[in-house]
Structure formats: C-alpha cells, structure tokens
C-alpha cells in the first residue's frame, strides 16, 4: 500500500473516527468504562495493522 492511496486514506479516517468516538464515550459514559476502552483498543489495533500494511 502506498502512502496517500485510497486505502490509506480510508484506514486513517476510520482510525480518527474510532479515536474521537473513544474520547466522546469517555466523557459521556462515566459508569461503563468497557465502551471507551473497546473503542480505544480497536483504534490502536487498526492503526498498528495500518502501519504493518504500509511498510511490508
């Protein structure tokens, strides 16, 4: 995958949406930490997969 390609942009956008969703859930859902932890972990795993796809 090359930098600036269509898939690169889609994965970056998806990561950004998941990260913003995790922050919003952190402040909106105080009684259930599972929601924002799940969104945050999925965002981080997606970003790691994105970098692996880009460099290998």
């Amino acid at each position: 995958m090359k930098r600036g390609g269509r898939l690169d942009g889609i994965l970056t956008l998806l990561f950004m949406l998941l990260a913003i969703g995790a922050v919003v859930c952190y402040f909106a859902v105080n009684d259930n930490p599972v929601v924002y932890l799940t969104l945050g972990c999925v965002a981080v795993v997606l970003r790691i997969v994105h970098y692996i796809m880009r460099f290998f």
Side-chain angles (χ1 to χ4, degrees), residues 1 17-18 20 27 40 43 45-46 48 50-52 54 56:
M1 172 173 48
L17 290 175
L18 285 170
I20 291 169
F27 290 110
V45 168
L46 179 72
I48 291 170
H50 180 219
Y51 280 124
I52 289 172
R54 185 185 291 174
F56 294 111

Side-chain angles (χ1 to χ4, degrees), residues 8-20:
D8 185 53
I10 291 171
L11 289 175
T12 300
L13 180 66
L14 189 58
F15 166 74
M16 294 284 187
L17 290 175
L18 285 170
I20 291 169

Side-chain angles (χ1 to χ4, degrees), residues 12-47:
T12 300
L13 180 66
L14 189 58
F15 166 74
M16 294 284 187
L17 290 175
L18 285 170
I20 291 169
V23 170
V24 168
C25 286
Y26 176 76
F27 290 110
V29 185
N30 290 330
D31 58 344
N32 191 5
V34 174
V35 175
Y36 71 87
L37 286 175
T38 303
L39 284 176
C41 289
V42 169
V44 169
V45 168
L46 179 72
R47 194 56 158 184

